[in-house]
Amino acid sequence: MGNSSEVQSDRHYDRGKRFVGRVKELMILDRWFDHPEAPLTIFSITGMGGIGKSSLLSEMLSVSRNRGATSIWMDGRSCGSTPSVFLEYLSSTLGLETLGSESHLRPLSSLSETSVHKRLVIAVDNYEELALLESWFMEVFVNKLSSSGVLIILASRSEPAAAWRTHPRLRQHLVQMPLQHFTNEEVSEFIAGAGLVNISMAGTIARMTDGHPFGLALAVEAADHRRNIPLAEWAELSYMISARLLLELTLPSLHPMIEVLTLLETANQELLSSVLQTEVTLGEYLALKRMSFIRSDPDGLALHDLARVHLLRDFRQREPQRLQAMRVRIAGLLLPLHAQAGPHEQRQIARRMLLLCQESMLQHRQYADVSTEALFSPLEVMREGDLPLLHSLLEEWCEYSVEPWQAGPYRPFLDELAQRYPEGIVLMRDQNGEPIAMFITVLVHRESSEMLLRYFPAEMEECFSQQELACDPDQTDTHFAVLAAARDNVPGYRREELVGYMALDRLSLLGDGARVMLVATNPNLKLFLQSIGFRMRRTRTRICDRYEDQADVMDLDLRNGLFGEWVMSLLDPDKQGSRLPYEATSEGADGVPWTESDLRKMLAHLHSPGELHTYAARVSGVRDGIQLQMHVLDLLEGRAHGISQQDQMLLYAAYWTHAGNPTAAAQACSMSRATFYRHLRTALIRLARVL
């Protein structure tokens, strides 16, 4: 797909969909294959969502295979956040591509055996997801590749980082391909090639879509499906991409499959059948595959990102309970697959499971709030010109996060990190492209730890052993979280909502079996982290304390064993038994675990502060029964954040307005007693996490 005025290219995807345009970009690919020396080259394909990056990537791989090159496709979302995971993914992908050849048993040997006559093409879609690995990818991985016979194609929304454009060696090998909307000629060719029955609508489609490839594909499909509908009605409907439009383009029999795809990044025919508990026929699967807003990848079918956002929002608003039930069912199906899978496949399944439970992961809104859906682009790695604004963000963060004497190291640290490991700084931007929030994490290994020890020696000694600090860069699996900073004057969003959005994005990095550690002083941060499974231990010294707030070491270790149980405890607390799972860290302030029975007894005395006094010591920051009563009522009446509105309603009815009368409480909540008891138990478990 492209914007060249040259003779148009007319090709087809391997999935049977017509490929139009992008002649300029494909000619550059052809020139590389015709080059007698085939020098190491990096294509950077960039552009907005729906502009056709993945389509061009797919076409380039098809051309490369036809030209005899070993050609592999990798998804940045599955590449992991550590070098070892990336190399495992690369090895397994190369192994499949070279199946039956001598290289099959030693797939990574293909990297060193490339030449003009034995070429290798590595395509990475969603490259922005490799943000934490970008420095290693450039300085270690790419620098170790052969100087000839290798082509790397990177597709991402944002332009390549300044480090690529200024690199002393790689900049001369970088070819930037920013994609634009279709030209009028390409729009006409696309419409003509689609076989549109109502050809009189072609001009309207061209004008209304303005050459946006994804919008164009949807509009053509809508026009073909709605050929008997008055033009004015169709035009109003297709003015913007919406859930209504997407569903109207889909046969009703395919709607259940579309719902599954809104919750999974990818799903094949077998997984769709398992989730829906009915056979998805080959005909239905192929019908899905032909739809304009569904694409194929090596693991099955996937919704276009823009389509998934609209459909998921619509599903959530229409049927939130059925949506949650489907999440739990899918996670239950993935759990045994995760336990049985090999290392790389296991990490891919882990990512899917994390995506399912994201909305259940953040109950404590005083630090991070995801109740409002943010309309921002994915987090980006910082650019060279961002540094002054990042320092402003940092100054604001220091004012409310550390004591004045502790703030000094952060300024030079930010400068050095931006120079050496810019991938550790990810940003949210406003509509004008200016940074409004940043999240800093650093992969801990022998090179980065030297820098971290200079700026934060006390924190490093609290968190890591000398052996962990001396880890080889290719073997590291631990992130040190430094800070999350956000502006507090963004129209429509509170600081806590921006931090919540970033936290969800960064937590997804742990799906490949990694660990994250940090030193926390903010009580709300500690509660938030504990509610999603972080363990907490006291620091050995008081050097890291902030005023009256004591510092604690927080860690979440998903490197082995309990990942599946951890995800299920977040997604479906009903299945975890009366004693809350250890990963949920439901201990009271006195270190004694809360049980469901304890909570019921405590809440039964909610009207009697004197009786509550015996429980006060188990809640942080509470001295007596009166304070405990006020604290709980603040939670149940919504004055303090932490539990959902439904949980507030259930607990308030059961233990305050209709205490001792479960029939009246159930009626007040418009539920049967059985349904009321089931949801009440879940609400108790969530309240325990907050307390």
Side-chain angles (χ1 to χ4, degrees):
M1 299 182 171
N3 62 329
S4 171
S5 60
E6 303 173 60
V7 179
Q8 298 298 307
S9 170
D10 184 5
R11 309 179 187 227
H12 292 75
Y13 300 134
D14 55 0
R15 55 189 276 197
K17 293 184 180 178
R18 191 177 187 84
F19 186 87
V20 171
R22 303 308 186 207
V23 175
K24 176 182 175 182
E25 291 78 9
L26 291 171
M27 287 180 63
I28 295 174
L29 176 65
D30 286 336
R31 283 201 295 269
W32 183 80
F33 274 104
D34 293 336
H35 197 294
E37 298 177 3
L40 170 68
T41 302
I42 301 102
F43 290 173
S44 174
I45 301 173
T46 57
M48 65 188 296
I51 203 67
K53 300 182 295 293
S54 298
S55 300
L56 178 56
L57 207 65
S58 175
E59 181 67 10
M60 284 184 163
L61 281 177
S62 178
V63 170
S64 299
R65 291 190 181 103
N66 291 337
R67 297 290 296 258
T70 298
S71 307
I72 64 169
W73 181 92
M74 301 175 70
D75 188 340
R77 296 172 298 191
S78 301
C79 287
S81 58
T82 63
S84 59
V85 176
F86 177 90
L87 291 173
E88 284 181 14
Y89 182 19
L90 176 63
S91 178
S92 62
T93 308
L94 276 169
L96 286 173
E97 184 65 26
T98 58
L99 195 64
S101 69
E102 294 181 2
S103 300
H104 169 56
L105 298 177
R106 298 178 297 107
L108 290 181
S109 65
S110 302
L111 301 180
S112 58
E113 295 170 357
T114 57
S115 67
V116 173
H117 306 292
K118 193 174 183 180
R119 303 193 188 192
L120 173 66
V121 177
I122 301 174
V124 183
D125 202 1
N126 300 301
Y127 175 69
E128 62 268 19
E129 295 288 341
L130 266 68
L132 290 179
L133 277 178
E134 187 156 49
S135 179
W136 173 86
F137 185 80
M138 292 174 58
E139 300 296 343
V140 180
F141 177 72
V142 176
N143 265 323
K144 288 183 179 179
L145 296 175
S146 171
S147 60
S148 64
V150 179
L151 171 64
I152 299 173
I153 311 174
L154 309 176
S156 61
R157 292 197 177 193
S158 56
E159 64 181 16
W164 282 102
R165 303 191 300 273
T166 59
H167 195 280
R169 173 175 173 252
L170 297 181
R171 63 182 178 183
Q172 60 186 334
H173 300 284
L174 179 68
V175 179
Q176 296 189 60
M177 297 182 176
L179 301 187
Q180 307 297 329
H181 286 203
F182 279 164
T183 62
N184 291 334
E185 293 84 357
E186 288 167 332
V187 170
S188 299
E189 183 185 358
F190 185 95
I191 294 173
L196 185 64
V197 174
N198 196 343
I199 197 64
S200 63
M201 300 183 68
T204 301
I205 293 172
R207 288 192 300 274
M208 297 193 67
T209 60
D210 194 30
H212 184 269
F214 182 54
L216 177 63
L218 285 176
V220 168
E221 198 165 346
D224 207 24
H225 279 68
R226 300 172 61 85
R227 64 178 69 99
N228 296 320
I229 302 299
L231 175 61
E233 182 181 338
W234 176 84
E236 181 181 353
L237 177 65
S238 64
Y239 184 71
M240 64 172 62
I241 300 167
S242 68
R244 178 186 169 195
L245 171 61
L246 296 170
L247 291 173
E248 291 206 13
L249 292 179
T250 308
L251 293 172
S253 61
L254 302 181
H255 283 185
M257 296 156 226
I258 295 292
E259 289 179 342
V260 176
L261 290 175
T262 63
L263 298 179
L264 284 169
E265 283 187 337
T266 58
N268 57 25
Q269 187 179 353
E270 181 182 2
L271 184 54
L272 287 170
S273 298
S274 298
V275 174
L276 296 173
Q277 299 176 315
T278 185
E279 181 187 4
V280 173
T281 67
L282 180 59
E284 291 171 328
Y285 190 76
L286 293 176
L288 281 173
K289 190 175 183 179
R290 286 191 293 269
M291 301 199 67
S292 56
F293 60 92
I294 293 178
R295 57 182 175 80
S296 299
D297 70 24
D299 297 315
L301 301 181
L303 287 172
H304 189 285
D305 289 343
L306 291 177
R308 187 171 180 268
V309 167
H310 288 288
L311 289 166
L312 183 58
R313 184 183 302 158
D314 175 70
F315 197 177
R316 186 188 299 119
Q317 292 173 346
R318 283 187 295 108
E319 299 179 271
Q321 291 182 332
R322 192 164 69 84
L323 175 68
Q324 179 62 11
M326 186 175 287
R327 282 195 178 108
V328 173
R329 188 187 322 141
I330 293 173
L333 289 169
L334 295 178
L335 186 59
L337 298 178
H338 177 267
Q340 299 163 10
H344 169 62
E345 187 182 0
Q346 188 177 55
R347 293 182 179 98
Q348 289 181 301
I349 296 171
R351 177 182 172 83
R352 294 182 182 182
M353 296 178 74
L354 278 169
L355 290 174
L356 287 172
C357 68
Q358 280 184 346
E359 290 185 25
S360 305
M361 294 173 76
L362 301 178
Q363 292 289 326
H364 202 280
R365 299 180 183 178
Q366 289 176 294
Y367 179 79
D369 183 3
V370 293
S371 60
T372 301
E373 187 169 1
L375 299 177
F376 294 99
S377 300
L379 301 193
E380 300 177 6
V381 176
M382 66 159 289
R383 302 171 190 159
E384 189 175 10
D386 292 326
L387 201 53
L389 287 173
L390 298 189
H391 271 291
S392 297
L393 270 174
L394 179 65
E395 293 295 332
E396 186 177 341
W397 177 86
C398 285
E399 289 178 5
Y400 63 81
S401 297
V402 296
E403 293 190 49
W405 67 269
Q406 295 171 319
Y410 286 95
R411 301 177 187 93
F413 166 74
L414 180 60
D415 288 330
E416 184 170 348
L417 187 68
Q419 179 66 32
R420 294 181 59 184
Y421 304 105
E423 68 279 359
I425 309 170
V426 292
L427 311 177
M428 291 179 68
R429 300 183 187 277
D430 61 15
Q431 294 179 343
N432 298 320
E434 292 193 356
I436 55 174
M438 69 173 170
F439 204 107
I440 297 179
T441 56
V442 182
L443 271 170
V444 178
H445 50 77
R446 64 170 176 263
E447 296 171 9
S448 64
S449 62
E450 172 269 328
M451 176 184 66
L452 290 168
L453 281 167
R454 276 192 283 111
Y455 295 108
F456 312 115
E459 288 85 347
M460 291 297 101
E461 291 176 9
E462 292 286 359
C463 291
F464 302 104
S465 67
Q466 288 300 315
Q467 184 178 6
E468 289 171 323
L469 293 174
C471 175
D472 188 88
D474 285 352
Q475 299 300 317
T476 181
D477 54 18
T478 298
H479 305 276
F480 178 67
V482 180
L483 62 89
R487 279 172 35 192
D488 206 20
N489 60 348
V490 179
Y493 295 96
R494 295 181 297 110
R495 175 186 287 143
E496 291 78 12
E497 291 169 342
L498 301 180
V499 171
Y501 183 86
M502 293 191 300
L504 281 177
D505 182 275
R506 296 296 86 186
L507 281 167
S508 68
L509 296 172
L510 304 180
D512 56 25
R515 177 178 62 156
V516 62
M517 299 192 75
L518 67 151
V519 175
T521 56
N522 185 328
N524 292 322
L525 170 58
K526 295 177 191 177
L527 287 171
F528 156 58
L529 294 177
Q530 286 179 294
S531 74
I532 60 171
F534 275 72
R535 293 177 299 179
M536 182 172 76
R537 63 175 169 83
R538 299 288 173 87
T539 50
R540 292 183 290 270
T541 70
R542 303 269 59 85
I543 298 175
C544 302
D545 289 0
R546 178 184 181 273
Y547 298 117
E548 71 280 4
D549 294 331
Q550 179 173 300
D552 292 292
V553 175
M554 314 293 299
D555 83 279
L556 181 61
D557 191 345
L558 300 182
R559 292 177 296 183
N560 50 51
L562 294 175
F563 176 82
E565 288 79 359
W566 174 71
V567 168
M568 295 305 295
S569 73
L570 296 171
L571 189 62
D572 190 17
D574 277 347
K575 299 294 173 90
Q576 299 306 309
S578 61
R579 173 116 171 203
L580 299 177
Y582 173 72
E583 289 78 12
T585 317
S586 53
E587 292 183 355
D590 58 356
V592 179
W594 282 99
T595 66
E596 186 179 334
S597 175
D598 292 337
L599 274 174
R600 290 183 186 277
K601 290 177 182 177
M602 185 268 284
L603 291 171
H605 297 303
L606 195 54
H607 285 271
S608 306
E611 300 292 336
L612 290 176
H613 185 75
T614 57
Y615 296 94
R618 301 185 62 181
V619 179
S620 179
V622 171
R623 293 191 300 272
D624 54 37
I626 294 177
Q627 279 198 341
L628 179 56
Q629 181 193 53
M630 293 175 62
H631 179 57
V632 173
L633 286 176
D634 281 346
L635 288 166
L636 302 192
E637 294 175 350
R639 289 186 295 274
H641 295 300
I643 58 176
S644 67
Q645 289 185 346
Q646 176 171 293
D647 289 351
Q648 292 171 20
M649 175 185 69
L650 290 161
L651 293 165
Y652 195 71
Y655 296 104
W656 189 253
T657 56
H658 300 289
N661 189 344
T663 301
Q667 289 175 348
C669 297
S670 302
M671 297 179 181
S672 68
R673 285 187 60 168
T675 301
F676 176 76
Y677 284 137
R678 185 171 70 253
H679 288 295
L680 180 62
R681 188 158 179 269
T682 302
L684 286 165
I685 290 173
R686 290 173 177 154
L687 178 61
R689 288 177 177 165
V690 175
L691 293 179

